[in-house]
Amino acid sequence: MNNENELTIITPVFNRLEYLKRLYNSLLCQNVTDFTWIIVDDGSTINLQSVINSWIKTACFKIIYIREKNQGKMRAYQNATNYLPSDGYSIVVDSDDWVAPYTVDVLKKEIVNLNKSSDRVCGTAYPRVFKDNIYNDWNQQLPLMIDIIDLHYLYHIRESAILISNEALKYGFKKINFYNEKFLSEEVLYNQLISMGKFKVGYDRFYFSQYLESGLTNHVFELWVKNPLGAIELLCSRYKSMAHFPFFQRLRDKTKTILNLNALCFVTKKSILKNTPSKTMSILLLLPSVLVRYKRFTYGKK
């Protein structure tokens, strides 16, 4: 069977049933129902299964429910790829987010366009619309094609919704080391794909988010301390992925990356010289790294 135009929505979830219900209701409102929703229950401490089983029986689209022990969002995301067809496209919609009624229609049409393209394209990046109007910075003119790292560092866009080919997704996950930790940034995945192709830029606004104090972004440095190997892998991949930046911006952002890596190594007692992507920069930045360590990671001693 040819699955090149298939769309899968992937949602890792840990508890947050009320938010998941909001997402489910937004999917019920889709004007196109030809898609699959994969829910990965990342070891929730409440019973999600009975509710989701009732959805499976009544929903007008296919739902796949996966229950696993708590391993973190990225492991849940990786495990979802085992249920994806070899071709087709997928998008992660977080459990506390929701989508517009025309979302599947927009994405299915984009998938057709992507499959017709002769360029090396991994997918399409779209804006996230935040309920509280934060991060609403997608109004600037962007290039037609980008690497995902460009959005944050070149265009100061912190959050995006990413439609990605299943082929690229599976390739990227094969390149990732997870270690025995529960947190790894999605940035590592997208940095792995730079050699595979770029992402188109889309402007359709269909993905809605609500900033939560309990969200991962608000506790990123604490998560780094608790998951140092994954954080080091993130910072190393970030450093290497900045090679195409303009010179002065590359110098500035690589410096920031090394400062963070040095500081993290200080607080987690990891060897800087064994883990840094640039021994020269790490040595030159040792002293200011001490200041960064106390500014961002003081709680790490607790």
Side-chain angles (χ1 to χ4, degrees), residues 96-107:
D96 51 343
D97 297 336
W98 66 103
V99 295
Y102 48 82
T103 299
V104 174
D105 188 27
V106 166
L107 295 179

mmCIF file with all atom_site columns, all heavy atoms in Angstrom, residues 96-107:
data_model
loop_
_atom_site.group_PDB
_atom_site.id
_atom_site.type_symbol
_atom_site.label_atom_id
_atom_site.label_alt_id
_atom_site.label_comp_id
_atom_site.label_asym_id
_atom_site.label_entity_id
_atom_site.label_seq_id
_atom_site.pdbx_PDB_ins_code
_atom_site.Cartn_x
_atom_site.Cartn_y
_atom_site.Cartn_z
_atom_site.occupancy
_atom_site.B_iso_or_equiv
_atom_site.pdbx_formal_charge
_atom_site.auth_seq_id
_atom_site.auth_comp_id
_atom_site.auth_asym_id
_atom_site.auth_atom_id
_atom_site.pdbx_PDB_model_num
ATOM 1  N N   . ASP A 1 96  ? -0.889  19.273 26.081 1.00 0.00 ? 96  ASP A N   1
ATOM 2  C CA  . ASP A 1 96  ? -1.524  20.478 26.614 1.00 0.00 ? 96  ASP A CA  1
ATOM 3  C C   . ASP A 1 96  ? -1.802  21.516 25.525 1.00 0.00 ? 96  ASP A C   1
ATOM 4  O O   . ASP A 1 96  ? -2.155  22.656 25.827 1.00 0.00 ? 96  ASP A O   1
ATOM 5  C CB  . ASP A 1 96  ? -0.671  21.091 27.730 1.00 0.00 ? 96  ASP A CB  1
ATOM 6  C CG  . ASP A 1 96  ? 0.784   21.279 27.317 1.00 0.00 ? 96  ASP A CG  1
ATOM 7  O OD1 . ASP A 1 96  ? 1.197   20.664 26.330 1.00 0.00 ? 96  ASP A OD1 1
ATOM 8  O OD2 . ASP A 1 96  ? 1.500   22.035 27.999 1.00 0.00 ? 96  ASP A OD2 1
ATOM 9  N N   . ASP A 1 97  ? -1.675  21.130 24.260 1.00 0.00 ? 97  ASP A N   1
ATOM 10 C CA  . ASP A 1 97  ? -1.969  22.022 23.145 1.00 0.00 ? 97  ASP A CA  1
ATOM 11 C C   . ASP A 1 97  ? -3.230  21.560 22.409 1.00 0.00 ? 97  ASP A C   1
ATOM 12 O O   . ASP A 1 97  ? -3.781  20.502 22.705 1.00 0.00 ? 97  ASP A O   1
ATOM 13 C CB  . ASP A 1 97  ? -0.781  22.067 22.183 1.00 0.00 ? 97  ASP A CB  1
ATOM 14 C CG  . ASP A 1 97  ? 0.471   22.637 22.838 1.00 0.00 ? 97  ASP A CG  1
ATOM 15 O OD1 . ASP A 1 97  ? 0.339   23.384 23.828 1.00 0.00 ? 97  ASP A OD1 1
ATOM 16 O OD2 . ASP A 1 97  ? 1.580   22.319 22.373 1.00 0.00 ? 97  ASP A OD2 1
ATOM 17 N N   . TRP A 1 98  ? -3.665  22.330 21.437 1.00 0.00 ? 98  TRP A N   1
ATOM 18 C CA  . TRP A 1 98  ? -4.839  21.964 20.655 1.00 0.00 ? 98  TRP A CA  1
ATOM 19 C C   . TRP A 1 98  ? -4.716  22.569 19.259 1.00 0.00 ? 98  TRP A C   1
ATOM 20 O O   . TRP A 1 98  ? -3.816  23.388 19.013 1.00 0.00 ? 98  TRP A O   1
ATOM 21 C CB  . TRP A 1 98  ? -6.131  22.408 21.338 1.00 0.00 ? 98  TRP A CB  1
ATOM 22 C CG  . TRP A 1 98  ? -6.341  23.892 21.447 1.00 0.00 ? 98  TRP A CG  1
ATOM 23 C CD1 . TRP A 1 98  ? -7.159  24.666 20.681 1.00 0.00 ? 98  TRP A CD1 1
ATOM 24 C CD2 . TRP A 1 98  ? -5.743  24.789 22.406 1.00 0.00 ? 98  TRP A CD2 1
ATOM 25 N NE1 . TRP A 1 98  ? -7.116  25.971 21.078 1.00 0.00 ? 98  TRP A NE1 1
ATOM 26 C CE2 . TRP A 1 98  ? -6.257  26.079 22.139 1.00 0.00 ? 98  TRP A CE2 1
ATOM 27 C CE3 . TRP A 1 98  ? -4.834  24.641 23.453 1.00 0.00 ? 98  TRP A CE3 1
ATOM 28 C CZ2 . TRP A 1 98  ? -5.876  27.210 22.876 1.00 0.00 ? 98  TRP A CZ2 1
ATOM 29 C CZ3 . TRP A 1 98  ? -4.452  25.756 24.186 1.00 0.00 ? 98  TRP A CZ3 1
ATOM 30 C CH2 . TRP A 1 98  ? -4.964  27.021 23.908 1.00 0.00 ? 98  TRP A CH2 1
ATOM 31 N N   . VAL A 1 99  ? -5.590  22.146 18.347 1.00 0.00 ? 99  VAL A N   1
ATOM 32 C CA  . VAL A 1 99  ? -5.453  22.559 16.945 1.00 0.00 ? 99  VAL A CA  1
ATOM 33 C C   . VAL A 1 99  ? -6.774  23.066 16.388 1.00 0.00 ? 99  VAL A C   1
ATOM 34 O O   . VAL A 1 99  ? -7.848  22.740 16.883 1.00 0.00 ? 99  VAL A O   1
ATOM 35 C CB  . VAL A 1 99  ? -4.925  21.392 16.078 1.00 0.00 ? 99  VAL A CB  1
ATOM 36 C CG1 . VAL A 1 99  ? -3.510  21.010 16.482 1.00 0.00 ? 99  VAL A CG1 1
ATOM 37 C CG2 . VAL A 1 99  ? -5.856  20.180 16.155 1.00 0.00 ? 99  VAL A CG2 1
ATOM 38 N N   . ALA A 1 100 ? -6.674  23.846 15.318 1.00 0.00 ? 100 ALA A N   1
ATOM 39 C CA  . ALA A 1 100 ? -7.844  24.403 14.638 1.00 0.00 ? 100 ALA A CA  1
ATOM 40 C C   . ALA A 1 100 ? -8.559  23.325 13.828 1.00 0.00 ? 100 ALA A C   1
ATOM 41 O O   . ALA A 1 100 ? -7.960  22.306 13.458 1.00 0.00 ? 100 ALA A O   1
ATOM 42 C CB  . ALA A 1 100 ? -7.415  25.544 13.723 1.00 0.00 ? 100 ALA A CB  1
ATOM 43 N N   . PRO A 1 101 ? -9.848  23.520 13.503 1.00 0.00 ? 101 PRO A N   1
ATOM 44 C CA  . PRO A 1 101 ? -10.622 22.507 12.767 1.00 0.00 ? 101 PRO A CA  1
ATOM 45 C C   . PRO A 1 101 ? -10.091 22.208 11.368 1.00 0.00 ? 101 PRO A C   1
ATOM 46 O O   . PRO A 1 101 ? -10.393 21.154 10.808 1.00 0.00 ? 101 PRO A O   1
ATOM 47 C CB  . PRO A 1 101 ? -12.030 23.124 12.690 1.00 0.00 ? 101 PRO A CB  1
ATOM 48 C CG  . PRO A 1 101 ? -12.077 24.111 13.795 1.00 0.00 ? 101 PRO A CG  1
ATOM 49 C CD  . PRO A 1 101 ? -10.696 24.642 13.945 1.00 0.00 ? 101 PRO A CD  1
ATOM 50 N N   . TYR A 1 102 ? -9.315  23.123 10.799 1.00 0.00 ? 102 TYR A N   1
ATOM 51 C CA  . TYR A 1 102 ? -8.801  22.937 9.431  1.00 0.00 ? 102 TYR A CA  1
ATOM 52 C C   . TYR A 1 102 ? -7.377  22.374 9.423  1.00 0.00 ? 102 TYR A C   1
ATOM 53 O O   . TYR A 1 102 ? -6.743  22.288 8.366  1.00 0.00 ? 102 TYR A O   1
ATOM 54 C CB  . TYR A 1 102 ? -8.820  24.285 8.688  1.00 0.00 ? 102 TYR A CB  1
ATOM 55 C CG  . TYR A 1 102 ? -8.220  25.434 9.484  1.00 0.00 ? 102 TYR A CG  1
ATOM 56 C CD1 . TYR A 1 102 ? -6.837  25.642 9.541  1.00 0.00 ? 102 TYR A CD1 1
ATOM 57 C CD2 . TYR A 1 102 ? -9.040  26.300 10.197 1.00 0.00 ? 102 TYR A CD2 1
ATOM 58 C CE1 . TYR A 1 102 ? -6.299  26.683 10.274 1.00 0.00 ? 102 TYR A CE1 1
ATOM 59 C CE2 . TYR A 1 102 ? -8.508  27.342 10.938 1.00 0.00 ? 102 TYR A CE2 1
ATOM 60 C CZ  . TYR A 1 102 ? -7.139  27.528 10.970 1.00 0.00 ? 102 TYR A CZ  1
ATOM 61 O OH  . TYR A 1 102 ? -6.603  28.551 11.712 1.00 0.00 ? 102 TYR A OH  1
ATOM 62 N N   . THR A 1 103 ? -6.865  21.944 10.567 1.00 0.00 ? 103 THR A N   1
ATOM 63 C CA  . THR A 1 103 ? -5.470  21.508 10.674 1.00 0.00 ? 103 THR A CA  1
ATOM 64 C C   . THR A 1 103 ? -5.133  20.348 9.745  1.00 0.00 ? 103 THR A C   1
ATOM 65 O O   . THR A 1 103 ? -4.166  20.399 8.981  1.00 0.00 ? 103 THR A O   1
ATOM 66 C CB  . THR A 1 103 ? -5.157  21.111 12.129 1.00 0.00 ? 103 THR A CB  1
ATOM 67 O OG1 . THR A 1 103 ? -5.355  22.256 12.968 1.00 0.00 ? 103 THR A OG1 1
ATOM 68 C CG2 . THR A 1 103 ? -3.734  20.607 12.269 1.00 0.00 ? 103 THR A CG2 1
ATOM 69 N N   . VAL A 1 104 ? -5.900  19.281 9.822  1.00 0.00 ? 104 VAL A N   1
ATOM 70 C CA  . VAL A 1 104 ? -5.606  18.097 9.012  1.00 0.00 ? 104 VAL A CA  1
ATOM 71 C C   . VAL A 1 104 ? -5.713  18.434 7.528  1.00 0.00 ? 104 VAL A C   1
ATOM 72 O O   . VAL A 1 104 ? -4.900  17.979 6.714  1.00 0.00 ? 104 VAL A O   1
ATOM 73 C CB  . VAL A 1 104 ? -6.533  16.930 9.397  1.00 0.00 ? 104 VAL A CB  1
ATOM 74 C CG1 . VAL A 1 104 ? -6.335  15.751 8.446  1.00 0.00 ? 104 VAL A CG1 1
ATOM 75 C CG2 . VAL A 1 104 ? -6.275  16.498 10.834 1.00 0.00 ? 104 VAL A CG2 1
ATOM 76 N N   . ASP A 1 105 ? -6.688  19.241 7.160  1.00 0.00 ? 105 ASP A N   1
ATOM 77 C CA  . ASP A 1 105 ? -6.842  19.655 5.766  1.00 0.00 ? 105 ASP A CA  1
ATOM 78 C C   . ASP A 1 105 ? -5.579  20.370 5.278  1.00 0.00 ? 105 ASP A C   1
ATOM 79 O O   . ASP A 1 105 ? -5.044  20.074 4.207  1.00 0.00 ? 105 ASP A O   1
ATOM 80 C CB  . ASP A 1 105 ? -8.062  20.569 5.645  1.00 0.00 ? 105 ASP A CB  1
ATOM 81 C CG  . ASP A 1 105 ? -8.415  20.882 4.194  1.00 0.00 ? 105 ASP A CG  1
ATOM 82 O OD1 . ASP A 1 105 ? -8.095  20.063 3.320  1.00 0.00 ? 105 ASP A OD1 1
ATOM 83 O OD2 . ASP A 1 105 ? -8.998  21.953 3.944  1.00 0.00 ? 105 ASP A OD2 1
ATOM 84 N N   . VAL A 1 106 ? -5.080  21.326 6.082  1.00 0.00 ? 106 VAL A N   1
ATOM 85 C CA  . VAL A 1 106 ? -3.866  22.065 5.724  1.00 0.00 ? 106 VAL A CA  1
ATOM 86 C C   . VAL A 1 106 ? -2.675  21.118 5.578  1.00 0.00 ? 106 VAL A C   1
ATOM 87 O O   . VAL A 1 106 ? -1.917  21.190 4.596  1.00 0.00 ? 106 VAL A O   1
ATOM 88 C CB  . VAL A 1 106 ? -3.551  23.140 6.790  1.00 0.00 ? 106 VAL A CB  1
ATOM 89 C CG1 . VAL A 1 106 ? -2.137  23.679 6.622  1.00 0.00 ? 106 VAL A CG1 1
ATOM 90 C CG2 . VAL A 1 106 ? -4.563  24.270 6.720  1.00 0.00 ? 106 VAL A CG2 1
ATOM 91 N N   . LEU A 1 107 ? -2.520  20.221 6.534  1.00 0.00 ? 107 LEU A N   1
ATOM 92 C CA  . LEU A 1 107 ? -1.356  19.338 6.538  1.00 0.00 ? 107 LEU A CA  1
ATOM 93 C C   . LEU A 1 107 ? -1.406  18.308 5.410  1.00 0.00 ? 107 LEU A C   1
ATOM 94 O O   . LEU A 1 107 ? -0.388  17.994 4.789  1.00 0.00 ? 107 LEU A O   1
ATOM 95 C CB  . LEU A 1 107 ? -1.235  18.645 7.893  1.00 0.00 ? 107 LEU A CB  1
ATOM 96 C CG  . LEU A 1 107 ? -0.935  19.579 9.082  1.00 0.00 ? 107 LEU A CG  1
ATOM 97 C CD1 . LEU A 1 107 ? -0.872  18.783 10.382 1.00 0.00 ? 107 LEU A CD1 1
ATOM 98 C CD2 . LEU A 1 107 ? 0.367   20.339 8.865  1.00 0.00 ? 107 LEU A CD2 1
#
